[in-house]
Amino acid sequence: MSDDEPRRVGRPKKFKPEFVDQARKLAALGATDREAAEFFDVAESTLYLWKHTEPEFSEALKVGKATADERVVQSLYRKAVGYSHDAVKIMSVEGEVVKTDYVEHYPPDTTAAIFWLKNRVPEQWRDKTVVEHDLPEDMAKWLGER
């Protein structure tokens, strides 16, 4: 350190530029902020500080989380409407390994469909209870006098 350079005090900054890409990948894999903090070996409060002071880091977490959320949306949709995919069955026939290609079918799932509809079209599908109080006029007067 030369005499011209100001002397730095405090702990060295733990944030590194490579954390941006790592944070995006972690979030895309479904990691929570707590899990990301554990990965970076910092307190969760430090991760929140980085989100506030490092805009690229914050954006990387948002993009990664959006990617993970979209995968879940697509999976829930496929489960709600049913889907098929190519698969391979591996068996042993007379001591020989036999691979058989086939199409695996999954029927629509009622619970997934209801969940989807309640969240996507709540005005039509939410659980709601409408209670109407329709008292006879003389009962209403009696209650009002009490």
Side-chain angles (χ1 to χ4, degrees):
M1 179 184 283
S2 71
D3 292 335
D4 297 350
E5 293 179 39
R7 188 169 173 187
R8 295 181 184 216
V9 291
R11 283 194 264 177
K13 189 174 178 181
K14 279 191 164 194
F15 183 82
K16 296 177 180 145
E18 58 266 24
F19 289 177
V20 172
D21 192 48
Q22 291 172 337
R24 183 189 52 73
K25 289 176 182 176
L26 283 168
L29 290 171
T32 64
D33 284 351
R34 175 174 287 150
E35 292 165 335
E38 288 174 12
F39 175 84
F40 293 119
D41 198 26
V42 297
E44 205 170 342
S45 58
T46 300
L47 187 90
Y48 295 140
L49 178 64
W50 291 350
K51 286 168 71 173
H52 182 71
T53 61
E54 305 291 339
E56 287 180 358
F57 182 78
S58 179
E59 185 62 23
L61 284 172
K62 288 178 187 172
V63 167
K65 288 177 180 182
T67 300
D69 292 346
E70 184 57 32
R71 274 199 323 271
V72 172
V73 167
Q74 291 302 315
S75 295
L76 177 62
Y77 176 78
R78 283 194 311 272
K79 185 160 182 158
V81 299
Y83 65 101
S84 300
H85 67 87
D86 293 335
V88 176
K89 184 172 281 199
I90 302 172
M91 302 171 284
S92 175
V93 178
E94 298 178 4
E96 295 291 321
V97 175
V98 176
K99 296 180 182 181
T100 305
D101 294 334
Y102 71 103
V103 176
E104 182 83 36
H105 297 282
Y106 296 91
D109 180 275
T110 304
T111 303
I114 291 168
F115 184 80
W116 178 272
L117 290 168
K118 283 183 179 183
N119 284 283
R120 294 284 289 222
V121 197
E123 58 282 350
Q124 293 175 341
W125 289 93
R126 73 174 175 255
D127 289 330
K128 61 180 177 180
T129 306
V130 177
V131 179
E132 292 187 27
H133 299 284
D134 196 16
L135 298 173
E137 191 175 320
D138 57 338
M139 178 67 86
K141 285 182 186 178
W142 180 79
L143 288 173
E145 293 173 3
R146 295 187 76 187

